[in-house]
Amino acid sequence: MLAPCLLRRAVLTVPLVFVVALLLTEPVRSDQEAGTAIPAESRPCVDCHAFEFMQRALQDLKKTAYNLDTRTETLLLQVEKRNLCDCVTANLLN
């Protein structure tokens, strides 16, 4: 006798809980559809951070290129100096 009473209560309570849940949840507005992108005005400045990162990367690349250029010039001067020394030594021996 207790089981039919519990079953009747469950049959009435479950739909009531669903109706209350539906009433308490906020409906999705047409301008705020699920899965749409957040406008740039209301989100953090991701583009600004990306731009700053790219600027730093570009500065690092410029610095590396300058260092490589300087190192290349130094090595070329050393090779030219070595070739001149070899020529002078060879001319003195002849």
Side-chain angles (χ1 to χ4, degrees):
M1 184 160 192
L2 187 60
C5 182
L6 287 176
L7 184 61
R8 220 174 304 144
R9 273 195 188 168
V11 168
L12 293 175
T13 306
V14 171
L16 181 65
V17 169
F18 282 122
V19 168
V20 170
L22 286 173
L23 291 174
L24 292 177
T25 58
E26 184 178 331
V28 176
R29 296 187 312 248
S30 64
D31 62 340
Q32 185 186 8
E33 294 179 13
T36 57
I38 299 171
E41 298 84 28
S42 63
R43 65 182 164 163
C45 189
V46 175
D47 295 335
C48 297
H49 294 304
F51 180 73
E52 290 172 0
F53 174 78
M54 294 303 287
Q55 270 188 324
R56 279 185 302 224
L58 183 60
Q59 288 173 350
D60 290 344
L61 284 173
K62 285 180 181 178
K63 192 182 297 184
T64 303
Y66 176 77
N67 289 340
L68 286 173
D69 190 41
T70 305
R71 180 72 178 143
T72 303
E73 283 186 33
T74 305
L75 289 173
L76 286 174
L77 287 173
Q78 287 176 354
V79 168
E80 287 178 9
K81 182 179 175 184
R82 195 172 296 147
N83 287 339
L84 284 174
C85 290
D86 290 344
C87 286
V88 169
T89 309
N91 284 339
L92 289 175
L93 293 176
N94 287 334

